[in-house]
Amino acid sequence: MKLAKSSPTVWAALALAFALSPAAGAQSAPAKNAARKAKAVSSKASAPAASSDVDTSATAPASKKDVVTAKRDPFQPLVSDTKPLHGPLPPGKAGLIIATVHVDGTVRSPSGMLAVVSNEERRVYFIREGDKLYDGDVEKIGLDGVTFKENSKDAFGKPVERMVTKRIYQSAGEQQ
């Protein structure tokens, strides 16, 4: 860099860029690029100009705030298997999801069969045949388990009903 042969226009542009920088003395990358452009423009100009004639748009840094974007954690999986399929659940039995219900026991009473079930948070509920749950109904309660009628939708949005049986004691290979 030859400082002896530089023109007054270059010095005026650099002084203006320094004065307009956000932190005095610390130039950001756009300000440095603007100073380089001003130097290139002034070197092409044949006559030196006064500091008041310098175009400030070429030397001033952008007034836009730098948007900081958060980077993705490289150790997190790209695709998450657990997506919330529903919003906030209603309280009580109406908020029970059949896939997450665990059958703890059944009771025979004079008014009919009762089932003791618990959800993921280990809250216990007593359900009867015909009770409405979040995604289905209680179809039948037996001494060994409960049969639910689950209402869901397939991948194309078509409604699908299926019967799900949850047993008190799992047999080999059965998931609850």
Side-chain angles (χ1 to χ4, degrees):
M1 181 172 174
K2 297 180 181 180
L3 295 177
K5 294 184 179 180
S6 61
S7 66
T9 308
V10 173
W11 285 105
L14 288 173
L16 186 58
F18 180 78
L20 293 176
S21 66
Q27 289 185 348
S28 61
K32 289 180 182 177
N33 291 338
R36 284 187 198 135
K37 287 180 184 177
K39 185 176 181 181
V41 168
S42 65
S43 66
K44 291 180 184 177
S46 60
S51 63
S52 61
D53 296 334
V54 175
D55 185 17
T56 59
S57 64
T59 59
S63 62
K64 296 178 185 177
K65 292 185 178 179
D66 291 333
V67 178
V68 178
T69 56
K71 292 186 177 182
R72 186 184 68 80
D73 184 7
F75 298 104
Q76 293 295 327
L78 292 174
V79 179
S80 175
D81 290 337
T82 58
K83 286 195 267 184
L85 300 175
H86 45 76
L89 297 173
K93 296 182 215 178
L96 291 175
I97 299 173
I98 294 173
T100 62
V101 167
H102 179 74
V103 178
D104 297 324
T106 58
V107 178
R108 182 185 307 230
S109 70
S111 62
M113 293 291 289
L114 291 170
V116 181
V117 297
S118 58
N119 62 0
E120 290 177 319
E121 290 85 31
R122 297 283 196 200
R123 293 197 181 250
V124 177
Y125 298 93
F126 297 96
I127 57 174
R128 298 177 183 272
E129 290 181 4
D131 281 350
K132 306 280 185 200
L133 304 180
Y134 183 76
D135 58 347
D137 301 324
V138 180
E139 191 69 25
K140 184 175 188 242
I141 299 175
L143 292 175
D144 60 341
V146 181
T147 303
F148 299 97
K149 182 169 62 172
E150 184 178 25
N151 302 321
S152 62
K153 292 185 178 182
D154 65 359
F156 300 108
K158 181 180 172 186
V160 176
E161 284 186 1
R162 67 180 190 140
M163 302 301 274
V164 178
T165 302
K166 301 249 182 174
R167 302 208 182 271
I168 297 172
Y169 302 110
Q170 296 179 16
S171 61
E174 189 177 47
Q175 292 183 354
Q176 185 160 354

